[in-house]
Amino acid sequence: MLGPMTMPLFCGSMILNFDMWNVLETISMIPLLKDHIMVVLLVLFKTLGVETFIKVKKVGSLVSPVRRGLNHHMAILTKDLEESGGPYICGDSYTLADVSMVPIFERMEYGRWWTDSLKTQFPRVTKYWEAIQEREATRPASQTWPCTTDGQGGQAHRPVEEGVHLVQ
Protein backbone atom coordinates (compact mmCIF):
# COMPACT_ATOMS: atom_id res chain seq x y z
CA MET A 1 0.00 0.00 0.00
CA LEU A 2 1.13 3.52 -0.76
CA GLY A 3 1.98 5.42 2.42
CA PRO A 4 0.93 9.05 2.86
CA MET A 5 4.53 10.24 3.07
CA THR A 6 5.36 8.79 -0.35
CA MET A 7 2.23 10.17 -2.01
CA PRO A 8 3.87 13.35 -3.40
CA LEU A 9 6.56 11.17 -4.99
CA PHE A 10 3.91 8.89 -6.47
CA CYS A 11 2.03 11.94 -7.77
CA GLY A 12 5.14 13.37 -9.41
CA SER A 13 6.05 10.04 -10.94
CA MET A 14 2.56 9.67 -12.43
CA ILE A 15 2.64 13.17 -13.87
CA LEU A 16 6.12 12.84 -15.37
CA ASN A 17 6.41 9.20 -16.35
CA PHE A 18 2.96 7.96 -17.32
CA ASP A 19 1.49 8.84 -20.67
CA MET A 20 -2.17 8.34 -21.56
CA TRP A 21 -1.40 4.91 -23.03
CA ASN A 22 -0.04 3.79 -19.63
CA VAL A 23 -3.14 5.17 -17.92
CA LEU A 24 -5.49 3.33 -20.29
CA GLU A 25 -3.46 0.15 -19.89
CA THR A 26 -3.68 0.43 -16.10
CA ILE A 27 -7.43 1.11 -16.20
CA SER A 28 -7.90 -2.00 -18.32
CA MET A 29 -6.44 -4.09 -15.47
CA ILE A 30 -9.10 -3.01 -12.93
CA PRO A 31 -10.99 -6.34 -13.17
CA LEU A 32 -7.80 -8.18 -12.18
CA LEU A 33 -7.03 -6.06 -9.12
CA LYS A 34 -8.35 -6.47 -5.58
CA ASP A 35 -7.41 -2.94 -4.53
CA HIS A 36 -8.41 -0.23 -7.00
CA ILE A 37 -7.03 2.72 -5.03
CA MET A 38 -3.75 2.86 -6.95
CA VAL A 39 -5.59 3.04 -10.26
CA VAL A 40 -7.88 5.77 -8.94
CA LEU A 41 -4.89 7.74 -7.64
CA LEU A 42 -3.08 7.28 -10.95
CA VAL A 43 -6.03 8.70 -12.89
CA LEU A 44 -6.49 11.57 -10.41
CA PHE A 45 -2.83 12.55 -10.39
CA LYS A 46 -2.56 12.29 -14.16
CA THR A 47 -5.67 14.40 -14.76
CA LEU A 48 -5.55 16.90 -11.87
CA GLY A 49 -1.83 16.90 -11.08
CA VAL A 50 -0.83 18.21 -7.67
CA GLU A 51 -4.21 19.93 -7.41
CA THR A 52 -5.50 16.45 -6.45
CA PHE A 53 -4.31 17.15 -2.89
CA ILE A 54 -6.56 20.21 -2.74
CA LYS A 55 -9.53 19.23 -4.91
CA VAL A 56 -9.98 15.69 -3.57
CA LYS A 57 -10.43 16.13 0.18
CA LYS A 58 -9.92 12.42 0.91
CA VAL A 59 -6.44 12.48 -0.68
CA GLY A 60 -5.56 15.74 1.08
CA SER A 61 -6.70 14.29 4.41
CA LEU A 62 -4.33 11.34 3.95
CA VAL A 63 -1.35 13.66 3.64
CA SER A 64 -2.20 16.22 6.34
CA PRO A 65 -1.24 13.92 9.27
CA VAL A 66 2.22 13.62 7.72
CA ARG A 67 2.58 17.40 7.75
CA ARG A 68 1.43 17.54 11.38
CA GLY A 69 3.95 14.82 12.25
CA LEU A 70 6.75 16.68 10.50
CA ASN A 71 5.85 19.89 12.35
CA HIS A 72 5.90 17.99 15.64
CA HIS A 73 9.32 16.44 15.02
CA MET A 74 10.80 19.69 13.68
CA ALA A 75 9.60 21.47 16.85
CA ILE A 76 11.33 18.83 19.01
CA LEU A 77 14.52 19.11 16.95
CA THR A 78 14.38 22.91 17.27
CA LYS A 79 14.10 22.59 21.05
CA ASP A 80 17.03 20.13 21.15
CA LEU A 81 19.17 22.45 19.04
CA GLU A 82 18.30 25.45 21.22
CA GLU A 83 19.14 23.55 24.40
CA SER A 84 22.47 22.31 23.01
CA GLY A 85 23.51 25.81 21.99
CA GLY A 86 25.58 24.54 19.12
CA PRO A 87 25.07 23.94 15.47
CA TYR A 88 24.50 20.21 16.20
CA ILE A 89 22.27 18.17 18.48
CA CYS A 90 25.09 17.80 21.06
CA GLY A 91 26.37 21.36 20.78
CA ASP A 92 29.63 21.79 18.88
CA SER A 93 30.17 18.03 18.59
CA TYR A 94 29.02 16.29 15.44
CA THR A 95 27.76 12.93 16.69
CA LEU A 96 25.93 9.84 15.52
CA ALA A 97 22.70 11.65 16.38
CA ASP A 98 23.49 14.14 13.61
CA VAL A 99 24.68 11.45 11.20
CA SER A 100 21.37 9.65 11.66
CA MET A 101 19.51 12.77 10.52
CA VAL A 102 21.21 12.83 7.10
CA PRO A 103 19.06 10.14 5.45
CA ILE A 104 15.92 11.62 6.98
CA PHE A 105 16.57 15.07 5.53
CA GLU A 106 17.72 13.66 2.19
CA ARG A 107 14.53 11.59 1.92
CA MET A 108 12.47 14.63 2.89
CA GLU A 109 14.11 16.60 0.09
CA TYR A 110 13.65 13.76 -2.38
CA GLY A 111 9.99 13.33 -1.43
CA ARG A 112 9.47 17.11 -1.60
CA TRP A 113 8.55 17.35 2.10
CA TRP A 114 11.42 19.72 2.97
CA THR A 115 9.46 22.69 1.68
CA ASP A 116 10.10 26.43 1.83
CA SER A 117 7.28 26.76 4.36
CA LEU A 118 8.95 24.22 6.69
CA LYS A 119 12.29 25.96 6.23
CA THR A 120 10.70 29.30 7.12
CA GLN A 121 8.77 27.86 10.04
CA PHE A 122 11.87 26.13 11.48
CA PRO A 123 14.89 28.36 10.73
CA ARG A 124 17.06 26.71 13.40
CA VAL A 125 16.49 23.31 11.80
CA THR A 126 17.24 24.83 8.39
CA LYS A 127 20.59 26.17 9.66
CA TYR A 128 21.26 22.77 11.23
CA TRP A 129 20.69 20.93 7.95
CA GLU A 130 22.82 23.48 6.09
CA ALA A 131 25.64 23.00 8.64
CA ILE A 132 25.51 19.23 8.11
CA GLN A 133 25.57 19.65 4.34
CA GLU A 134 28.69 21.82 4.60
CA ARG A 135 30.62 19.01 6.28
CA GLU A 136 33.18 17.16 4.18
CA ALA A 137 31.41 13.80 4.46
CA THR A 138 28.18 15.09 2.97
CA ARG A 139 29.71 17.06 0.09
CA PRO A 140 29.95 15.49 -3.36
CA ALA A 141 32.86 13.10 -3.59
CA SER A 142 35.90 14.38 -5.44
CA GLN A 143 38.31 11.65 -4.48
CA THR A 144 38.80 8.10 -5.64
CA TRP A 145 36.37 5.93 -3.72
CA PRO A 146 35.44 3.15 -3.25
CA CYS A 147 38.41 0.85 -3.64
CA THR A 148 38.19 -2.37 -5.59
CA THR A 149 40.72 -5.16 -5.83
CA ASP A 150 42.90 -5.22 -8.91
CA GLY A 151 42.84 -9.02 -9.07
CA GLN A 152 46.45 -9.27 -7.91
CA GLY A 153 45.98 -8.75 -4.19
CA GLY A 154 46.25 -4.98 -4.38
CA GLN A 155 43.71 -2.23 -4.57
CA ALA A 156 42.66 -0.39 -7.67
CA HIS A 157 40.93 2.94 -7.28
CA ARG A 158 38.16 3.88 -9.62
CA PRO A 159 37.16 7.51 -9.87
CA VAL A 160 33.81 8.55 -8.48
CA GLU A 161 31.40 10.22 -10.86
CA GLU A 162 30.95 13.96 -10.47
CA GLY A 163 28.11 14.80 -8.08
CA VAL A 164 27.97 11.38 -6.38
CA HIS A 165 27.50 11.69 -2.62
CA LEU A 166 29.27 9.43 -0.17
CA VAL A 167 26.35 9.81 2.23
CA GLN A 168 23.09 8.89 0.53
Side-chain angles (χ1 to χ4, degrees), residues 7 26 33 39-40 42 52 67 76 86 88-89 94 106 127 147 157 161 163 167:
M7 205 162 301
T26 304
L33 301 173
V39 177
V40 171
L42 166 68
T52 302
R67 179 58 188 240
I76 291 171
Y88 305 114
I89 292 173
Y94 184 72
E106 286 189 347
K127 288 179 184 173
C147 296
H157 296 279
E161 296 175 30
V167 179

Side-chain angles (χ1 to χ4, degrees), residues 129-150:
W129 178 228
E130 289 169 353
I132 289 175
Q133 290 176 305
E134 290 173 8
R135 295 185 60 83
E136 185 71 33
T138 54
R139 282 193 230 137
S142 61
Q143 53 192 331
T144 56
W145 183 88
C147 296
T148 59
T149 60
D150 64 5

Side-chain angles (χ1 to χ4, degrees), residues 14-162:
M14 294 307 101
I15 292 169
L16 295 174
N17 301 320
F18 271 60
D19 59 18
M20 287 314 290
W21 178 251
N22 296 123
V23 173
L24 292 173
E25 188 177 48
T26 304
I27 291 171
S28 72
M29 290 190 270
I30 286 178
L32 305 173
L33 301 173
K34 288 182 181 178
D35 186 6
H36 301 130
I37 190 69
M38 296 299 278
V39 177
V40 171
L41 287 173
L42 166 68
V43 171
L44 286 171
F45 289 140
K46 193 61 188 174
T47 55
L48 299 175
V50 295
E51 293 292 314
T52 302
F53 294 109
I54 297 166
K55 293 181 177 178
V56 181
K57 299 290 185 207
K58 183 109 174 146
V59 176
S61 69
L62 289 173
V63 178
S64 57
V66 174
R67 179 58 188 240
R68 284 194 303 274
L70 286 173
N71 286 345
H72 172 75
H73 290 289
M74 292 297 122
I76 291 171
L77 182 55
T78 296
K79 182 177 176 241
D80 291 344
L81 291 167
E82 288 170 353
E83 288 176 2
S84 77
Y88 305 114
I89 292 173
C90 294
D92 291 329
S93 300
Y94 184 72
T95 66
L96 192 54
D98 304 300
V99 172
S100 69
M101 295 301 289
V102 172
I104 294 169
F105 277 97
E106 286 189 347
R107 302 278 182 305
M108 284 176 56
E109 287 180 345
Y110 184 72
R112 306 300 189 256
W113 284 102
W114 187 234
T115 61
D116 289 339
S117 65
L118 260 183
K119 292 174 188 177
T120 302
Q121 188 176 354
F122 299 102
R124 185 109 188 191
V125 174
T126 302
K127 288 179 184 173
Y128 167 70
W129 178 228
E130 289 169 353
I132 289 175
Q133 290 176 305
E134 290 173 8
R135 295 185 60 83
E136 185 71 33
T138 54
R139 282 193 230 137
S142 61
Q143 53 192 331
T144 56
W145 183 88
C147 296
T148 59
T149 60
D150 64 5
Q152 299 172 11
Q155 292 184 340
H157 296 279
R158 59 185 171 99
V160 176
E161 296 175 30
E162 183 74 26

